[in-house]
C-alpha cells in the first residue's frame, strides 16, 4: 500500500507539471459559471437584431451545450458528420457530434463585450474544421485561439455573436439559456484524469498513467457534467481517432457519485441509445485529488455495463480549477 501511495504521488506531481492549465486555487462563485444550452440563432443587420430562429420550432434541431467555469470552457453538440466530409472518403469511427475544451477570457456584462476562446483539445467533427488545418495548428502549438466575438449575459440568457467582416452587413449569434442547477458540491470544478487505479477485492493493487497524449477532462457545475476526451496521438484509421464526449446530470451524496448522461458523441454511443446511470465511490486523496471507483465495468461481450465484483477500476483525477 505504501508503494502504491508513493506511485500515486509521483504521477500527480508529474502530471500537474505537464498540465496546459496550471492548477489554481478555488475561487468565489461567479454568476456566469454554469452550463448553457443553445435555444436558437439570432440574425443581425448592421448590428441590429432583426430575427430569431428557435430550435424548438425546427423539425430536427440539434443539441449544443457550453460549460463555463472560472476561465475554463467545454462544449458538446450532436451535429451529424458534414456531408462534404463524407464525400472526401475520410473514414470516421464516430457517428456524430463535435466538441472542444479550452480557456476563455470574458467579463460578464448585459452589454456586448469581447470574449476570446482558445481550444486546447477538440473531438469529433471539429477535427475536420478548416479541412483539418485547425486541428493541425492545435497539435503543433498546443492551442488554437478563435477570432474574438461579442458576448452578452443577462440573467439566465447568454448570447454569443460572431463579429461580421467589415464589408458584411449581416451577422448571426448563438442564443443560449442556462440549464437548471442544484446546490454546489465538493466535486464542482474542472478535473483531469491522469491515471487508472486497479482494485482487487476493494484493495488498490496497481496504478497506470493514462496513455501519452490523452486529454480527459471533466467539468462539474451545480448538478451538470460534461466530459471531453481527446486522444491527441491517435491517427486517422485508429478506432479512437476523434475522441468522445458525454453530457448530463450528476449528484454527489455521502461519497457516492451518480452520473446520468443524456447525450453522447464522438466514439461513445451506448447500445439502444440510452446510457444507464454511472455510479461510483469517491475516494478523496486531498481537496484537489480524488479517485472515482466505478461500480460498473464494460461487458467484455459488448452488451453494455455490468456490475464490477472482484475487480474494479478507479479513475485518478486532479483539479484544474
Amino acid at each position: 500500500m505504501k508503494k502504491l501511495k508513493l506511485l500515486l504521488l509521483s504521477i500527480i506531481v508529474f502530471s500537474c507539471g505537464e498540465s496546459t492549465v496550471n492548477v489554481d486555487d478555488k475561487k468565489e462563485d461567479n454568476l456566469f459559471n454554469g452550463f448553457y444550452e443553445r435555444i436558437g440563432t439570432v440574425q443581425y443587420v448592421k448590428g441590429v437584431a432583426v430575427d430569431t430562429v428557435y430550435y424548438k420550432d425546427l423539425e430536427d434541431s440539434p443539441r449544443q451545450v457550453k460549460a463555463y467555469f472560472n476561465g475554463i470552457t467545454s462544449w458538446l453538440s450532436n451535429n451529424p458528420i458534414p456531408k462534404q466530409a463524407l464525400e472526401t472518403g475520410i473514414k470516421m469511427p464516430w457517428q456524430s457530434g463535435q466538441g472542444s475544451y479550452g480557456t476563455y477570457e470574458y467579463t460578464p456584462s448585459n452589454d456586448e463585450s469581447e470574449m476570446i476562446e482558445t481550444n486546447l483539445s477538440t473531438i469529433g467533427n471539429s477535427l475536420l474544421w478548416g479541412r483539418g488545418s485547425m486541428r493541425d495548428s492545435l497539435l503543433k502549438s498546443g492551442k488554437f485561439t478563435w477570432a474574438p466575438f461579442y458576448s452578452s449575459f443577462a440573467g439566465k440568457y447568454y448570447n454569443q455573436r460572431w463579429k461580421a467582416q467589415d464589408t458584411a452587413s449581416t451577422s448571426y449569434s448563438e442564443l443560449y439559456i442556462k440549464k437548471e442547477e442544484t446546490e454546489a458540491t465538493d466535486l464542482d470544478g474542472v478535473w483531469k484524469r491522469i491515471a487508472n487505479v486497479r482494485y482487487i477485492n476493494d484493495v488498490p493493487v496497481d496504478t497506470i498513467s493514462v496513455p501519452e497524449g490523452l486529454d480527459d477532462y471533466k467539468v462539474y457545475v451545480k448538478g451538470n457534467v460534461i466530459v471531453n476526451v481527446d486522444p491527441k496521438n491517435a491517427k486517422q484509421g485508429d478506432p479512437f481517432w476523434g475522441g468522445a464526449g458525454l453530457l448530463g446530470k450528476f449528484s454527489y451524496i455521502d461519497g457516492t457519485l451518480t452520473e446520468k448522461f443524456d447525450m453522447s458523441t464522438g466514439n461513445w454511443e451506448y447500445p439502444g441509445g440510452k446510457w444507464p446511470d454511472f455510479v461510483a465511490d469517491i475516494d478523496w486523496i486531498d481537496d484537489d485529488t480524488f479517485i472515482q471507483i466505478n461500480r460498473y465495468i464494460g461487458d467484455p461481450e459488448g452488451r453494455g455495463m455490468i456490475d464490477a465484483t472482484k475487480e474494479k477500476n478507479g479513475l485518478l483525477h486532479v483539479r484544474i480549477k
Side-chain angles (χ1 to χ4, degrees):
M1 179 67 74
K2 184 179 292 185
K3 290 183 179 179
L4 183 64
K5 289 183 177 179
L6 289 174
L7 179 58
L8 283 174
L9 180 60
S10 66
I11 290 175
I12 292 169
V13 172
F14 180 73
S15 298
C16 288
E18 286 192 330
S19 180
T20 307
V21 181
N22 293 328
V23 175
D24 200 0
D25 294 331
K26 295 179 182 178
K27 298 181 179 180
E28 292 184 4
D29 183 38
N30 184 320
L31 290 177
F32 183 62
N33 287 346
F35 279 57
Y36 297 82
E37 181 136 10
R38 187 173 176 181
I39 58 174
T41 301
V42 182
Q43 181 186 20
Y44 294 80
V45 175
K46 297 182 179 180
V48 178
V50 297
D51 191 23
T52 302
V53 176
Y54 291 97
Y55 274 8
K56 65 181 179 62
D57 297 327
L58 301 178
E59 183 175 346
D60 188 20
S61 62
R63 285 193 69 193
Q64 179 168 308
V65 175
K66 301 190 78 168
Y68 292 98
F69 188 84
N70 292 347
I72 296 293
T73 181
S74 183
W75 69 273
L76 204 62
S77 83
N78 62 355
N79 284 331
I81 297 171
K83 181 180 179 182
Q84 60 269 32
L86 293 174
E87 292 173 346
T88 64
I90 297 176
K91 295 182 179 179
M92 292 159 285
W94 62 91
Q95 298 181 32
S96 67
Q98 58 197 22
S100 72
Y101 168 91
T103 64
Y104 71 93
E105 299 175 28
Y106 173 58
T107 301
S109 171
N110 287 330
D111 300 320
E112 286 192 330
S113 58
E114 191 173 81
M115 173 182 272
I116 299 175
E117 290 190 0
T118 298
N119 288 354
L120 302 178
S121 69
T122 55
I123 63 173
N125 298 336
S126 54
L127 271 68
L128 309 175
W129 292 343
R131 297 183 180 274
S133 61
M134 293 172 60
R135 175 69 171 183
D136 292 341
S137 175
L138 188 154
L139 293 178
K140 183 178 181 179
S141 65
K143 62 182 181 180
F144 178 86
T145 300
W146 291 91
F149 44 80
Y150 298 116
S151 291
S152 58
F153 171 64
K156 62 181 181 179
Y157 292 99
Y158 170 59
N159 193 40
Q160 185 178 91
R161 180 163 70 95
W162 298 99
K163 289 186 176 181
Q165 298 295 324
D166 293 338
T167 56
S169 61
T170 301
S171 61
Y172 298 89
S173 74
E174 299 175 356
L175 180 62
Y176 294 83
I177 188 170
K178 200 168 193 177
K179 293 179 67 65
E180 292 185 2
E181 299 179 331
T182 59
E183 292 296 320
T185 71
D186 291 339
L187 282 176
D188 278 40
V190 183
W191 303 86
K192 182 177 183 180
R193 178 168 67 98
I194 61 172
N196 289 351
V197 182
R198 184 183 176 210
Y199 289 78
I200 301 293
N201 294 324
D202 295 325
V203 177
V205 297
D206 194 15
T207 302
I208 303 173
S209 298
V210 298
E212 183 178 356
L214 178 64
D215 285 348
D216 184 351
Y217 294 103
K218 253 183 181 179
V219 181
Y220 291 112
V221 183
K222 294 185 175 181
N224 293 290
V225 57
I226 190 170
V227 181
N228 191 297
V229 182
D230 180 8
K232 284 188 166 67
N233 290 345
K235 307 295 183 184
Q236 184 178 334
D238 294 343
F240 202 43
W241 180 57
L246 292 169
L247 173 77
K249 297 286 187 179
F250 83 95
S251 64
Y252 178 61
I253 304 173
D254 297 331
T256 300
L257 168 67
T258 302
E259 296 171 318
K260 301 175 181 286
F261 295 111
D262 57 22
M263 186 170 81
S264 58
T265 191
N267 284 278
W268 287 343
E269 297 290 343
Y270 196 79
K274 180 177 175 56
W275 286 89
D277 293 353
F278 281 84
V279 182
D281 299 296
I282 300 299
D283 181 13
W284 291 94
I285 296 176
D286 56 42
D287 288 345
D288 298 319
T289 315
F290 72 84
I291 304 175
Q292 175 183 327
I293 308 170
N294 295 323
R295 296 185 185 180
Y296 304 98
I297 60 174
D299 185 354
E301 298 184 11
R303 295 172 297 185
M305 306 297 289
I306 59 175
D307 290 341
T309 53
K310 179 180 178 180
E311 185 167 343
K312 295 180 181 179
N313 183 40
L315 310 178
L316 176 62
H317 292 80
V318 295
R319 187 188 294 276
I320 301 298
K321 289 283 187 178

